Amino acid sequence: MAKQVTIDAKGVHYTPLNQQIRKAIEDGADEIVVDNVLGQRFIGDGLRGNATIRVNGVAGGDLAMFMSGPTVIVDGNAEHAPGNTMDSGKVVIHGSAGDAVAHSMRGGKVFVRGDIGYRGGIHMKQYETQRPILVVGGSAQTFLGEYMAGGLLVVLGLDGAMKAREIGSGIHGGEIVIRGDVDDACLAAGAKKLPVTDEDRARIAPVIREFAADFGLDAEPLVKANYTRIVPASARPFAGKYTWE
């Protein structure tokens, strides 16, 4: 039988709050519900295993940093850098998130129903089959996918026009997939557009369907929509900037 633990975070500093969460997992909790969260940082950081953490409120910075395995579901917004350097697991945010979402993420999935701030997906990376995935339901701000070294970043733009400029600045691995057309003027130097092939669609469709299921959306119009795929123009985008003597 699944063991559920409920924690009231009202007025609790992030350090003892995270100690309570860790203790619950050590004691065998399968699901931890954290109520009245108001900006407490580092929730889920470094946790391992298969537990589910449900955050009711606004999650503070570095949610699920270094996490390996658990699922974190936020019924609200999240501050900066959820999924920072995450190894595996899943983060589902039913609101919007701040800057640097999925910063240096190495594996797992981060799904954000709303918008994200600046530098989403910065320095995402992958190793062999371990590939991080960031999906944004709304829009993203400037420097999306900056210095990406691997992974998949999808922006669906469900709530309005894409806002990002300088997309893919310094990208040298991975791919950015944006629903609809992307003006060439929005691309940073070192990024280029490619047509989305049938093979690309087949690879991306399961991710879109999973995202839609998590947020109660109709997946098929999203799967069938037109997309722009942005990839590195070079594996060494700044090679010409260096001076060798």
Side-chain angles (χ1 to χ4, degrees):
M1 185 175 179
K3 179 180 179 181
Q4 184 185 88
V5 172
T6 300
I7 298 172
D8 187 358
K10 186 174 183 179
V12 180
H13 186 269
Y14 69 82
T15 299
L17 175 61
N18 285 306
Q19 288 171 343
Q20 290 182 59
I21 294 171
R22 288 181 177 278
K23 181 66 164 56
I25 290 178
E26 290 171 2
D27 291 344
D30 300 293
E31 181 174 356
I32 302 164
V33 179
V34 189
D35 291 327
N36 300 310
V37 175
L38 189 60
Q40 285 95 334
R41 293 175 281 175
F42 309 136
I43 293 174
D45 285 17
L47 294 181
R48 298 178 179 273
N50 300 309
T52 296
I53 302 170
R54 297 184 178 272
V55 176
N56 295 320
V58 179
D62 287 319
L63 174 77
M65 182 170 65
F66 303 126
M67 190 175 76
S68 297
T71 297
V72 179
I73 301 170
V74 180
D75 186 15
N77 298 324
E79 294 181 1
H80 65 275
N84 184 356
T85 324
M86 195 169 93
D87 283 322
S88 63
K90 188 174 182 180
V91 175
V92 179
I93 299 169
H94 283 264
S96 294
D99 297 339
V101 176
H103 188 324
S104 302
M105 186 177 166
R106 299 182 292 199
K109 299 170 185 173
V110 174
F111 290 172
V112 182
R113 172 56 185 86
D115 301 331
I116 65 171
Y118 294 84
R119 291 184 160 86
I122 181 172
H123 214 291
M124 287 172 63
K125 63 197 75 173
Q126 68 187 66
Y127 179 69
E128 296 182 347
T129 60
Q130 188 168 350
R131 188 179 196 226
I133 296 173
L134 168 61
V135 183
V136 180
S139 186
Q141 294 287 351
T142 296
F143 296 115
L144 177 71
E146 186 177 37
Y147 306 131
M148 270 186 73
L152 170 64
L153 198 170
V154 180
V155 180
L156 298 174
L158 298 175
D159 306 315
M162 183 69 172
K163 300 173 183 177
R165 299 291 186 270
E166 296 294 324
I167 299 170
S169 175
I171 185 173
H172 53 283
E175 59 184 333
I176 303 168
V177 178
I178 298 174
R179 190 167 69 101
D181 295 325
V182 176
D183 193 310
D184 288 344
C186 294
L187 298 185
K192 68 178 182 180
K193 297 190 297 187
L194 289 179
V196 174
T197 66
D198 290 342
E199 183 179 338
D200 294 330
R201 285 186 175 277
R203 180 168 43 80
I204 295 165
V207 175
I208 294 174
R209 288 195 172 98
E210 182 179 349
F211 178 92
D214 282 344
F215 295 110
L217 303 172
D218 184 359
E220 292 315 303
L222 299 175
V223 170
K224 295 175 182 177
N226 293 323
Y227 287 88
T228 299
R229 183 168 176 254
I230 300 168
V231 299
S234 165
R236 298 181 65 208
F238 298 125
K241 303 295 184 182
Y242 298 104
T243 300
W244 301 97
E245 295 181 0

